[in-house]
Amino acid sequence: MAWLIRSKARLLVSATRPLRAPVDSFHCSRFSDLTDHSVFSFPRKWLRSKARRLNDVDDNQSGSSSSPHINRRTTVSQLEVSSNSRVRVDLFDELKQRFLSFKEHKYLEELEHFQTLKEAQSPKFMVIACADSRVCPSTILGFRPGEAFMIRNVANLVPPFENGPSETNAALEFAVKTLEVENILIIGHSCCGGIQTLMSMRDDGDSSFIKSWVTTGTVAKLRTEAAANHLSFDQQCRLCEKESINRSLLNLLTYSWIEDRVRKGLLFVHGGYYDFLNCTFEKWTLDFKGSSGEEGARLLVKDQELWC
């Protein structure tokens, strides 16, 4: 008798074995997909009961997650997208608050000034600065709206006239010919990535938009290397940051409509260097009588100051 019971038990186990894989894989959610007829004789009530128990376990495991709002099947990429979206919303919420603060504490308090700007702009300065996010001329020098016409580019470079049209000389033309600014100020700065790219470039045929642009400062690079070849790379870059400003000042004189106004004393061109590591600002003015933007250019400066 015992032998007969054990024999039937083994047959029962053998009959249920094909069920285990689909049960484990699909959590018994769909029994209609099973095609192994060896299980059809197994009691259907037991199958349905087993399916319910497995699904209950699955639901309990999902509910035991530390975050009740996140299904455990949610992918990592979905979580990252959700997180990035919240960050973008938070950033623009902050910008919104800054704008509203500007409106309340600047615009409305200086309404008469802003009403004047509706009619026209008459800035005294044309500023050429680097696009670096750490160097904002309006923040550093306190320009109010309407006081400075600005163009920002990589490494605050001014290409010579013969290089042809660019955004920089288009802005210069508008500022000098139309707005008739009285001062052009070129501002360089410490730790300039554009100058570092220029100083590390080699003639290996590799090119990019950035490298094509910073070649405007090649003369400054060559002069720096000739004068400071014994110094470290970082020290050479610092010297080139200032040398490139002076080369750009001379490049301004290659534009006849700038050179003419400078000669007549209607326009002055200045260099500035902002060291944001120590928060100092150097300022100097090109001495037109002793300078030349022609081939074999030479530069003399005056009115040098260090603001610290």
Side-chain angles (χ1 to χ4, degrees):
M1 188 67 178
W3 174 85
L4 181 61
I5 293 174
R6 287 195 295 271
S7 177
K8 289 184 177 181
R10 283 195 292 270
L11 288 173
L12 183 60
V13 170
S14 297
T16 60
R17 186 173 293 122
L19 178 64
R20 294 175 186 173
V23 165
D24 291 341
S25 300
F26 296 95
H27 307 289
C28 290
S29 59
R30 294 182 182 178
F31 286 99
S32 60
D33 294 336
L34 298 176
T35 57
D36 192 336
H37 295 278
S38 63
V39 301
F40 283 1
S41 60
F42 203 77
R44 293 179 181 274
K45 288 184 178 180
W46 187 92
L47 290 175
R48 287 194 291 269
S49 175
K50 181 67 173 176
R52 283 194 296 270
R53 285 198 298 271
L54 288 172
N55 283 330
D56 289 341
V57 169
D58 183 66
D59 292 338
N60 290 335
Q61 289 175 343
S62 298
S64 64
S65 170
S66 60
S67 178
H69 302 293
I70 299 177
N71 189 290
R72 67 190 184 93
R73 297 185 180 92
T74 302
T75 64
V76 173
S77 60
Q78 288 173 325
L79 293 176
E80 290 176 345
V81 169
S82 177
S83 176
N84 290 338
S85 298
R86 286 197 300 271
V87 170
R88 285 194 292 272
V89 170
D90 291 343
L91 286 175
F92 278 95
D93 280 345
E94 183 177 348
L95 290 182
K96 175 184 176 180
Q97 296 306 317
R98 291 182 187 182
F99 170 75
L100 294 176
S101 177
F102 159 77
K103 182 176 182 179
E104 179 182 357
H105 301 291
K106 289 288 184 180
Y107 184 85
L108 294 178
E109 290 183 4
E110 302 176 23
L111 188 58
E112 184 177 350
H113 172 70
F114 284 97
Q115 292 293 334
T116 301
L117 294 179
K118 287 183 179 180
E119 306 301 325
Q121 59 173 322
S122 55
K124 302 297 182 183
F125 284 89
M126 162 67 181
V127 175
I128 302 169
C130 185
D132 194 303
S133 63
R134 300 165 293 182
V135 184
C136 178
S138 293
T139 299
I140 298 165
L141 300 176
F143 287 117
R144 299 169 67 207
E147 290 184 341
F149 188 78
M150 295 189 191
I151 181 73
R152 298 178 68 174
N153 62 48
V154 174
N156 45 270
L157 298 170
V158 176
F161 177 81
E162 59 266 22
N163 281 25
S166 70
E167 294 87 345
T168 300
N169 50 35
L172 276 168
E173 184 176 48
F174 183 76
V176 173
K177 289 186 174 182
T178 303
L179 299 178
E180 297 184 342
V181 296
E182 298 174 5
N183 300 275
I184 298 176
L185 173 61
I186 301 175
I187 302 175
H189 66 94
S190 57
C191 304
C192 180
I195 295 300
Q196 291 172 3
T197 298
L198 172 66
M199 292 298 295
S200 61
M201 283 175 59
R202 297 294 177 263
D203 297 327
D204 53 9
D206 184 27
S207 63
S208 67
F209 289 123
I210 295 175
K211 289 182 178 180
S212 297
W213 169 252
V214 297
T215 54
T216 300
T218 298
V219 174
K221 172 187 176 180
L222 295 175
R223 288 177 62 88
T224 299
E225 290 177 336
N229 194 41
H230 60 289
L231 299 179
S232 68
F233 178 77
D234 289 343
Q235 290 173 319
Q236 289 185 40
C237 286
R238 186 175 179 86
L239 290 175
C240 190
E241 287 163 356
K242 296 181 179 181
E243 181 62 30
S244 68
I245 298 170
N246 289 332
R247 291 303 103 187
S248 288
L249 291 176
L250 289 174
N251 286 344
L252 288 173
L253 299 181
T254 65
Y255 296 86
S256 59
W257 31 273
I258 291 179
E259 193 265 353
D260 182 61
R261 291 181 68 82
V262 172
R263 178 187 296 107
K264 294 178 179 178
L266 301 175
L267 176 64
F268 300 90
V269 293
H270 316 270
Y273 182 81
Y274 172 51
D275 182 349
F276 60 74
L277 298 177
N278 300 302
C279 197
T280 61
F281 194 93
E282 297 177 51
K283 173 265 176 188
W284 60 94
T285 300
L286 179 140
D287 185 350
F288 176 75
K289 294 181 179 179
S291 304
S292 171
E294 304 296 330
E295 189 171 344
R298 64 183 184 277
L299 174 78
L300 289 179
V301 299
K302 60 182 180 180
D303 300 333
Q304 292 179 274
E305 299 179 31
L306 173 63
W307 303 338
C308 58

